[in-house]
């Protein structure tokens, strides 16, 4: 995934796609920081996904602040960046797939505390599923 992002950045530079160039440059910068901190040459896709999710969270917070500050032009810019970042996220499992994941984890760990089960499922879904959906699925399976 990291290679794809770097390739897409080069393409965006050549095609003069400003939003993609700006967004992917910032993302590559965060990836490079993580590489330096973890002292590896290439990051696993799961770590890259976590970085993208962190960047999405930053953008969403910025949109909220810009909207409150009546800077809709900057909020729109952040929304464009979100669209670029979302292209690199894997597809989140739908609710029926989530139920199957929960059933699998419950059968693997029969006497596990629901809080720990939430953590296992969140890790399995790479943080792409909202916590309330995970809790709802666990409650449905355990009842």
């Amino acid at each position: 995934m990291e290679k794809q992002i770097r390739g897409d950045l080069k393409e965006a530079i050549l095609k003069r796609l400003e939003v993609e160039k700006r967004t992917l440059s910032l993302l590559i910068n965060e990836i490079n920081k993580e590489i330096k901190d973890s002292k590896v040459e290439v990051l696993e896709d799961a770590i890259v996904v976590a970085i993208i999710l962190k960047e999405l969270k930053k953008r969403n917070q910025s949109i909220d602040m810009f909207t409150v500050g009546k800077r809709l032009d900057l909020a729109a810019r952040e929304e464009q960046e979100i669209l670029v970042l979302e292209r690199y996220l894997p597809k989140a499992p739908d609710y029926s797939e989530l139920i199957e994941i929960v059933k699998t984890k419950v059968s693997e760990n029969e006497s596990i505390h629901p809080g720990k089960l939430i953590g296992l499922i969140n890790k399995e879904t790479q943080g792409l599923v909202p916590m309330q959906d995970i809790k709802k699925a666990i409650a449905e399976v355990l009842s």
Side-chain angles (χ1 to χ4, degrees):
M1 179 181 288
E2 180 187 341
K3 244 183 193 176
Q4 178 189 359
I5 294 169
R6 291 182 189 281
D8 290 351
L9 174 60
K10 288 178 186 175
E11 188 176 318
I13 291 169
L14 291 173
K15 292 183 178 179
R16 292 190 165 97
L17 304 171
E18 291 302 316
V19 175
E20 285 86 351
K21 185 175 85 171
R22 179 179 61 244
T23 306
L24 295 177
S25 293
L26 291 171
L27 181 58
I28 293 289
N29 190 27
E30 291 299 316
I31 289 171
N32 288 339
K33 282 182 190 176
E34 184 63 32
I35 288 172
K36 184 178 177 187
D37 291 345
S38 61
K39 297 179 173 108
V40 295
E41 290 183 26
V42 178
L43 294 177
E44 294 178 18
D45 285 352
I47 296 172
V48 175
V49 168
I51 292 170
I52 293 170
L53 289 172
K54 185 174 80 171
E55 290 299 309
L56 284 169
K57 185 176 180 180
K58 285 182 192 176
R59 302 301 190 293
N60 284 318
Q61 290 171 344
S62 296
I63 288 172
D64 293 342
M65 288 188 288
F66 290 142
T67 303
V68 168
K70 298 191 189 321
R71 292 297 311 264
L72 301 180
D73 56 326
L74 295 175
R77 180 176 156 175
E78 295 291 326
E79 287 172 355
Q80 291 174 334
E81 291 181 4
I82 285 174
L83 293 175
V84 171
L85 290 171
E86 284 178 341
R87 290 190 295 208
Y88 298 98
L89 289 178
K91 180 186 165 286
D94 62 22
Y95 193 72
S96 62
E97 293 170 328
L98 180 61
I99 292 291
E100 290 304 314
I101 292 170
V102 171
K103 287 179 182 177
T104 304
K105 292 297 177 188
V106 167
S107 67
E108 290 173 359
N109 309 290
E110 290 183 22
S111 61
I112 191 169
H113 186 273
K116 292 201 185 276
L117 188 60
I118 290 171
L120 287 173
I121 295 166
N122 193 35
K123 187 174 181 181
E124 174 87 17
T125 60
Q126 298 180 333
L128 296 173
V129 177
M131 281 296 164
Q132 67 264 21
D133 291 350
I134 293 175
K135 290 176 184 177
K136 182 179 170 187
I138 290 173
E140 186 176 315
V141 169
L142 294 179
S143 61

